[in-house]
Amino acid sequence: MSTRLTRDPSGWLTHTFDWQSIESRSCDVKMRNTTAATCLWEKAKERSDEVAIYFDDGSQLTYGQLAREVHVVAGALRGLGLEVGDRVSAQLPNWREFVSINLACCALGLVFNPIIPIYRGAELGFILRDAGTKVLFIPEEYRGLNYVETIRALRGNLPALEHVIVVRPASGVAALKQLGATGLETFLSARTDKSSIYPEVSPDHVKLLMYTSGTTGQPKGVLHTHNTLNRVVDNILALRQLGPADVMFMASPVTHVTGYSACEMPLTTEVKAAIMERWDKARAVDFIERTRSTFSVGATPFLHELVQECSQRANRLPTMKHFACGGAAVPPELIRQAHRVFEHCRCFRVYGSTEVPLVSQGVTERSLEELAATTDGRIFNYEVRVVSSEGAVLGHGQEGELLVRGPAMMVGYTDAESTRASLTDDGFFLTGDLGYVTEAGDVVITGRKKDLIIRGGENISAKEIEDVLHTHELIQEAAVVSMPHPRLGEGIAAYIKLSDPTRPVSLGDVAAHIESNGLARQKTPERIEFIEEFPRTASGKIRKDLLRQDIRTKLAGTGS
């Protein structure tokens, strides 16, 4: 396979593969060659009154309603003078407005950049600068965070940002204007362009920019096209044989690659979606029952709490068929327990990332419960190569780094050098994850080369936290590692060497320092261990494997 970099209309260099050069191709690389917006226009014309998406506040969107909303948003965006390839960001909860904004960008050939709502000053400023965002959609306030104030503080360092649109504002028009923002209703009512003629958008152009934590401390901007994202959805449907009778229950943030799929699956396929604003186990059970949802993809805590709630209610969720679980570590006993509680639902582990979504699709057969509990699932429509630290290809059952390629993988990062460094010459993505492949074709993840902590399904860069800790006057050196967490899979532990042992820092001091530097609260260490000297390799690198082992031993000894 030959790999080359080409410049996308967005301005970024993306990698292109010649799949036809593979003599014995093991992947189905057939692409839909369409966009979600094109699919929406067709469905709105053919079945306007049919429900596409349910929301847990009791509202719903039919294809006709959605098409009308998208036309309005697209007209308002076009009135700003945006051109194909320009970037629009949205830092929103799981609200219906997110769906319309995403599809309006899709119709206009804009690059849509969803931003996880927990991100604050430091992360948000980097993302908006790196993306070159021209238009930003935010709530005014949500879950105690004031987004308008955050943007006002950052705006002087965001030269590309021209418009800030506030969704569901609490303040009046004058107050928002004073803050340099516009309410969504004001923005939409002022539109003068009511044309329903849209530019011709290539399905191979970049449509989604999504940031994921990197090992260097700065997030990496992952680029996907209309075709790669459609292929992600098609992989799910092909293996699990889903169709018009199925409804995807989604409680993950729509700003995450997992949750985002629920916004477009009802358009490019016959499957409907049921989107929950924020996770609540009791509301989740009620919502699944009301919408007769049949499958879901979610983080480990969701499955754990769903099992708890259903067990207490003696509710076996009879409509559910599949629950794919990933992000945080999945205890094998949780899978077994779920199968005892649910009537029909098969639960299983899956493996993937923003760069290579859903490399494995789980194990759905009822007779293979142990494989579902002890492996990360059947590899589907991806090629996986396992290599040693020297680059030698390893056989079945041998542990090494996983290299992955397939038609649903990203087309690169916003940084061209990162794109080049992440790929082999023949187009495999270096995942940084350690594991092995069984003879049956199941993948098992055993660890990570990347210095990442996966907390409740969210990637957190250890280095990013360390860089902030090193700015504290009382901390000489710090090392951040993952530790077992009963609910989130992994928590954050900080090993600290003090500048002066007689002047210790408390967990509260560390939390205040993290917050004052603009990091999200989720990046605050939950435990501190003081250390006189770090264990190191011969080259001087800190032995984080020993620190992880140490914290596991200590937690096991305390019963935490």
Side-chain angles (χ1 to χ4, degrees):
M1 172 187 286
S2 59
T3 304
R4 60 191 176 92
L5 291 182
T6 57
R7 193 166 296 279
D8 187 81
S10 61
W12 288 303
L13 286 172
T14 60
H15 67 70
T16 304
F17 295 143
D18 177 15
W19 287 94
Q20 304 307 318
S21 65
I22 306 175
E23 291 183 5
S24 56
R25 187 167 57 232
S26 60
C27 291
D28 174 10
V29 296
K30 183 179 179 182
M31 299 296 199
R32 284 182 177 266
N33 284 317
T34 188
T35 71
T38 299
C39 294
L40 172 61
W41 309 145
E42 293 173 356
K43 288 192 174 182
K45 187 183 299 182
E46 296 169 359
R47 33 190 160 146
S48 176
D49 296 330
E50 186 176 321
V51 175
I53 302 175
Y54 301 94
F55 297 92
D56 66 326
D57 63 0
S59 65
Q60 57 193 35
L61 275 172
T62 65
Y63 291 113
Q65 288 172 328
L66 184 52
R68 289 189 290 273
E69 290 186 13
V70 171
H71 280 310
V72 172
V73 177
L77 287 172
R78 191 169 9 212
L80 300 179
L82 299 180
E83 299 178 352
V84 171
D86 282 344
R87 275 78 85 181
V88 174
S89 298
Q91 190 178 27
L92 294 172
N94 288 13
W95 291 348
R96 65 184 285 160
E97 292 91 342
F98 180 95
V99 179
S100 300
I101 293 165
N102 168 58
L103 289 167
C105 292
C106 179
L108 294 172
L110 306 174
V111 179
F112 185 57
N113 166 225
I115 303 174
I116 297 172
I118 64 170
Y119 283 171
R120 300 170 68 187
E123 304 104 323
L124 186 58
F126 173 84
I127 288 170
L128 295 174
R129 283 191 299 275
D130 189 68
T133 298
K134 288 191 173 183
V135 182
L136 172 65
F137 291 86
I138 54 173
E140 183 171 358
E141 189 173 341
Y142 188 72
R143 300 186 70 174
L145 293 180
N146 190 308
Y147 292 83
V148 176
E149 289 292 347
T150 298
I151 292 300
R152 185 169 69 162
L154 292 172
R155 203 158 184 182
N157 293 317
L158 301 173
L161 183 60
E162 299 173 0
H163 305 277
V164 177
I165 315 298
V166 180
V167 181
R168 304 188 187 183
S171 301
V173 174
L176 288 178
K177 188 174 182 180
Q178 188 176 7
L179 294 169
T182 305
L184 179 63
E185 294 305 317
T186 303
F187 170 63
L188 298 180
S189 63
R191 73 185 180 105
T192 56
D193 188 333
K194 299 185 179 181
S195 169
S196 59
I197 300 174
Y198 294 93
E200 185 174 342
V201 177
S202 169
D204 288 320
H205 289 165
V206 171
K207 73 142 317 193
L208 185 76
L209 165 57
M210 192 170 279
Y211 283 81
T212 183
S213 291
T215 57
T216 60
Q218 296 287 16
K220 286 185 176 181
V222 179
L223 306 173
H224 275 284
T225 69
H226 303 264
N227 265 334
T228 60
L229 291 169
N230 287 340
R231 188 66 250 186
V232 174
V233 169
D234 286 346
N235 285 350
I236 296 172
L237 268 64
L239 185 71
R240 299 184 201 161
Q241 299 180 335
L242 303 171
D246 289 295
V247 178
M248 181 189 210
F249 166 73
M250 183 51 63
S252 296
V254 291
T255 49
H256 187 281
V257 70
T258 300
Y260 182 82
S261 61
C263 298
E264 297 199 342
M265 188 176 287
L267 309 175
T268 58
T269 77
E270 296 302 305
V271 174
K272 307 295 189 291
I275 298 177
M276 191 173 186
E277 180 178 326
R278 55 184 291 192
W279 174 253
D280 177 274
K281 60 183 180 180
R283 288 175 62 89
V285 172
D286 295 340
F287 192 38
I288 288 170
E289 287 193 309
R290 178 165 65 82
T291 57
R292 299 188 63 78
S293 293
T294 58
F295 74 103
S296 186
V297 184
T300 307
F302 292 176
L303 179 59
H304 179 73
E305 294 186 9
L306 201 61
V307 169
Q308 281 183 332
E309 182 70 12
C310 288
S311 182
Q312 290 173 2
R313 293 195 196 186
N315 184 328
R316 305 198 67 195
L317 287 185
T319 66
M320 286 291 285
K321 298 191 295 190
H322 298 150
F323 195 111
C325 201
V330 185
E333 182 55 30
L334 175 59
I335 300 296
R336 302 182 190 110
Q337 184 184 7
H339 289 167
R340 291 193 294 269
V341 171
F342 300 140
E343 185 173 357
H344 305 298
C345 187
R346 295 293 89 194
C347 302
F348 42 83
R349 291 153 50 173
V350 293
Y351 165 67
S353 67
T354 308
E355 292 91 339
V356 284
L358 286 179
V359 173
S360 68
Q361 290 286 347
V363 179
T364 60
E365 297 92 331
R366 181 179 292 271
S367 61
L368 301 177
E369 178 180 87
E370 276 306 296
L371 284 180
T374 57
T375 77
D376 292 277
R378 191 69 37 82
I379 297 166
F380 184 76
N381 215 30
Y382 278 94
E383 294 175 284
V384 175
R385 177 186 293 166
V386 183
V387 299
S388 68
S389 56
E390 292 78 28
V393 177
L394 303 175
H396 291 136
Q398 293 181 288
E399 183 189 67
E401 182 181 1
L402 302 180
L403 277 56
V404 174
R405 71 180 179 190
M409 69 186 288
M410 69 168 186
V411 294
Y413 294 112
T414 54
D415 178 67
E417 287 307 311
S418 294
T419 301
R420 293 187 181 96
S422 71
L423 298 170
T424 63
D425 291 340
D426 54 352
F428 278 85
F429 172 65
L430 286 72
T431 68
D433 294 313
L434 301 175
Y436 61 90
V437 176
T438 69
E439 289 190 15
D442 298 307
V443 64
V444 179
I445 306 302
T446 58
R448 286 190 300 277
K449 285 180 64 176
K450 294 179 179 179
D451 197 7
L452 289 177
I453 298 165
I454 303 181
R455 184 182 187 274
E458 293 294 339
N459 287 354
I460 293 175
S461 166
K463 185 177 185 301
E464 181 182 28
I465 302 170
E466 290 165 354
D467 288 345
V468 170
L469 292 178
H470 287 151
T471 65
H472 196 291
E473 62 177 357
L474 298 180
I475 296 176
Q476 178 176 325
E477 191 172 11
V480 171
V481 296
S482 65
M483 67 178 186
H485 192 289
R487 179 175 179 271
L488 301 173
E490 291 184 345
I492 303 170
Y495 280 77
I496 290 175
K497 181 178 181 180
L498 294 167
S499 302
D500 180 353
T502 66
R503 300 175 64 196
V505 294
S506 68
L507 200 58
D509 295 332
V510 169
H513 188 67
I514 291 288
E515 184 174 359
S516 67
N517 279 270
L519 295 190
R521 284 193 294 267
Q522 286 80 353
K523 297 182 180 181
T524 303
E526 293 139 303
R527 184 173 174 122
I528 292 176
E529 293 291 329
F530 295 104
I531 195 166
E532 293 184 5
E533 294 295 338
F534 284 100
R536 299 180 185 274
T537 65
S539 62
K541 291 183 179 180
I542 294 175
R543 288 285 305 273
K544 286 195 171 185
D545 58 328
L546 296 181
L547 298 183
R548 282 189 284 267
Q549 180 180 330
D550 179 69
I551 195 65
R552 283 196 298 268
T553 301
K554 287 177 176 174
L555 289 175
T558 62
S560 301

